[in-house]
Amino acid sequence: MTDWTLLILFPALLAYAAVSDMLTMTISNRVSLLLIAGFFPIAALIGLPWQMIGFHTLAALLVLIVTFGMFTAGWMGGGDAKLASATALWLGFSGLLDYVLVTAMAGGVLTLFLLKARNYPLPAIVAGWGWSRRLHSAKSGIPYGIALAFSGLIVYPQTDIWRLALGG
């Protein structure tokens, strides 16, 4: 049961966050809270040592401090900051550097793509969709939750918690 929960909970919540950010330009606090609430029982069930749980928690707090600073500077949304921190809880320090690097690359590609796409008119077939108009608007930000979720999904299978849960 733990293997399936591990394989489904984290990816499903990240996928939901990415789609939600793309469609509404918001990430619900519930997503981050569910990630946090799901981590601790799974970590205990798979036998993650308490010291490692502490390090995972420390990684999340470090990311929260940095991303909160970025939020207050206006560089990222509050939902993005919370999602990055909750994701860091699952990845721990073993996956944190890769997460930051992949997020920076994916976020850069996403940003460049949207900025370029916004120079062209929306195709008529999608012009009536509110979310596509919002995403296309130069006044809108970048739904960075997409890059955060993508990066979390890429890095997750290489983390200690993943290997421990799958007996590797």
Side-chain angles (χ1 to χ4, degrees):
M1 161 91 167
T2 304
D3 295 348
W4 283 105
T5 305
L6 180 70
L7 293 173
I8 293 171
L9 180 67
F10 183 77
L13 287 170
L14 287 185
Y16 179 83
V19 171
S20 173
D21 204 18
M22 182 181 77
L23 296 178
T24 67
M25 300 295 269
T26 59
I27 300 169
S28 171
N29 288 336
R30 288 185 199 127
V31 173
S32 298
L33 291 173
L34 286 170
L35 282 167
I36 293 165
F39 170 77
F40 292 101
I42 288 175
L45 283 171
I46 64 170
L48 191 67
W50 288 108
Q51 181 181 11
M52 289 301 294
I53 292 173
F55 282 128
H56 279 250
T57 304
L58 188 59
L61 291 172
L62 175 66
V63 170
L64 182 63
I65 290 166
V66 171
T67 57
F68 183 74
M70 294 171 76
F71 167 71
T72 58
W75 300 339
M76 103 184 311
D80 298 328
K82 290 177 266 189
L83 179 64
S85 301
T87 302
L89 178 65
W90 283 78
L91 303 178
F93 284 113
S94 68
L96 193 55
L97 180 59
D98 288 342
Y99 179 60
V100 169
L101 293 174
V102 174
T103 298
M105 290 186 290
V109 169
L110 175 67
T111 300
L112 291 174
F113 173 79
L114 282 178
L115 292 177
K116 186 69 172 170
R118 288 173 178 171
N119 290 325
Y120 299 96
L122 271 175
I125 195 166
V126 297
W129 302 343
W131 69 268
S132 65
R133 285 194 314 274
R134 191 172 33 257
L135 194 60
H136 190 265
S137 172
K139 296 176 184 172
S140 291
I142 304 297
Y144 215 72
I146 296 170
L148 293 166
F150 171 81
S151 303
L153 293 172
I154 293 296
V155 173
Y156 187 49
Q158 293 135 30
T159 61
D160 294 334
I161 192 169
W162 178 273
R163 284 189 291 276
L164 185 58
L166 298 180

